Amino acid sequence: MSEFILETNGLTKEFKGFAAVSDVDLKVKRGHIHALIGPNGAGKTTVFNLLTKFLPPTSGKIRFDGKDITHEAPAVTARRGMVRSFQISATFPHLTVMENVRIGLQRKLGTEFHFWRSEKSLDVLNDQAMALLESVDLTQFADTVTAEMPYGRKRALEIATTLALDPKMMLLDEPTQGMGNEDISRVVELIRKVSANRSILMVEHNLSVVANLCDRITVLTRGSVLAEGTYDEVSKNPSVLEAYVGSDDMNDAHH
């Protein structure tokens, strides 16, 4: 078993001759929280779209958990255990928080499980759903209609519905975007907690979150890897600081 759960080699995506992602080698260690950072337009979202098979690469290879998944269908890759949180995020705003998590659990079991089983088997799901809600600190919202939840708690629900699929690796796309400090620190703690026995790759703008949470960081700029290392190494790297000039992110994170 390789120490890396995810590896890309020479990953490249061109749109009409423009390389959105160019020759990216990414290695994510098992059990790590790995961040992908970089200025806007650096290609972070395209990388996520390539990994989750929303886009086919122009060239390069993707290996997940020892298997070449470069040309797999998105659903097959998801079943292998690489799941991106927004793929299933609060899909049903008019259902309760509990119902949303239960749907995630049913999905994990496959479609054959739907409506004709006995109540008893649904009770098992209810217990699992409550346990999941407890793990993301949402028990008191179990019967709340999802649309009426506070914004920060919706992200916790998205993480819970992702966890319902029991992924080996979670891809989190800007998990703290648009949040105030209290919600941010709650989501950071939640990510730390759910990373206990899985790997996480996250795109994140908030560098103090990255500094706080991540084992390794890859910096992308203009579709290429500019640097990789711990937050300390990366934040002291002159070419990284230069790439961030004009966006004060790096300086903000230092204060």
Side-chain angles (χ1 to χ4, degrees):
M1 213 165 73
S2 159
E3 62 174 323
F4 299 110
I5 186 155
L6 178 72
E7 293 178 75
T8 71
N9 292 96
L11 194 60
T12 297
K13 180 66 183 175
E14 290 169 2
F15 297 104
K16 301 192 175 78
F18 160 74
V21 171
S22 178
D23 205 24
V24 166
D25 295 341
L26 185 64
K27 284 180 159 61
V28 178
K29 275 194 173 168
R30 284 177 199 280
H32 266 193
I33 304 179
H34 194 119
L36 206 50
I37 71 170
N40 281 335
K44 305 181 294 286
T45 305
T46 308
V47 168
F48 260 29
N49 285 335
L50 291 167
L51 295 176
T52 50
K53 322 318 295 297
F54 280 45
L55 283 174
T58 307
S59 58
K61 285 253 180 293
I62 305 168
R63 285 179 74 77
F64 176 67
D65 207 16
K67 310 275 191 309
D68 184 331
I69 63 162
T70 315
H71 302 294
E72 245 175 28
V76 178
T77 295
R79 272 200 299 277
R80 283 189 193 282
M82 176 159 53
V83 183
R84 179 178 185 167
S85 70
F86 86 62
Q87 276 171 292
I88 49 175
S89 63
T91 348
F92 306 104
H94 304 302
L95 296 182
T96 66
V97 167
M98 171 82 161
E99 287 164 335
N100 265 302
V101 172
R102 225 171 60 181
I103 285 168
L105 290 166
Q106 278 178 316
R107 229 174 248 207
K108 175 71 180 159
L109 292 170
T111 44
E112 77 283 355
F113 191 79
H114 281 212
F115 303 104
W116 51 86
R117 294 295 180 88
S118 70
E119 263 310 292
K120 191 161 250 76
S121 49
L122 279 176
D123 287 346
V124 172
L125 275 192
N126 287 340
D127 294 345
Q128 282 180 307
M130 277 319 277
L132 264 175
L133 288 179
E134 203 166 315
S135 74
V136 299
D137 195 22
L138 288 180
T139 342
Q140 75 270 40
F141 292 101
D143 299 321
T144 306
V145 171
T146 300
E148 288 159 12
M149 281 239 289
Y151 180 75
R153 298 302 184 112
K154 282 185 182 144
R155 299 318 289 268
L157 175 60
E158 284 175 29
I159 289 173
T161 51
T162 308
L163 287 174
L165 300 176
D166 196 21
K168 289 180 186 157
M169 181 169 182
M170 286 171 76
L171 274 61
L172 302 176
D173 207 346
E174 301 277 3
T176 68
Q177 193 174 24
M179 285 186 187
N181 286 337
E182 186 190 338
D183 279 339
I184 288 176
S185 51
R186 191 184 279 127
V187 167
V188 165
E189 282 320 303
L190 175 55
I191 293 170
R192 187 173 281 128
K193 188 171 166 186
V194 303
S195 72
N197 48 4
R198 50 179 59 85
S199 316
I200 293 181
L201 179 63
M202 57 195 281
V203 166
E204 179 54 75
H205 266 112
N206 184 323
L207 291 177
S208 54
V209 167
V210 171
N212 213 327
L213 199 56
C214 296
D215 303 296
R216 300 248 351 132
I217 292 155
T218 301
V219 186
L220 281 189
T221 177
R222 291 193 286 280
S224 300
V225 174
L226 180 65
E228 194 186 284
T230 62
Y231 183 80
D232 260 7
E233 292 162 351
V234 159
S235 62
K236 292 190 177 88
N237 180 322
S239 51
V240 172
L241 292 167
E242 199 178 323
Y244 269 101
V245 169
S247 76
D248 292 323
D249 297 358
M250 271 287 167
N251 307 328
D252 290 351
H254 278 313
H255 297 323

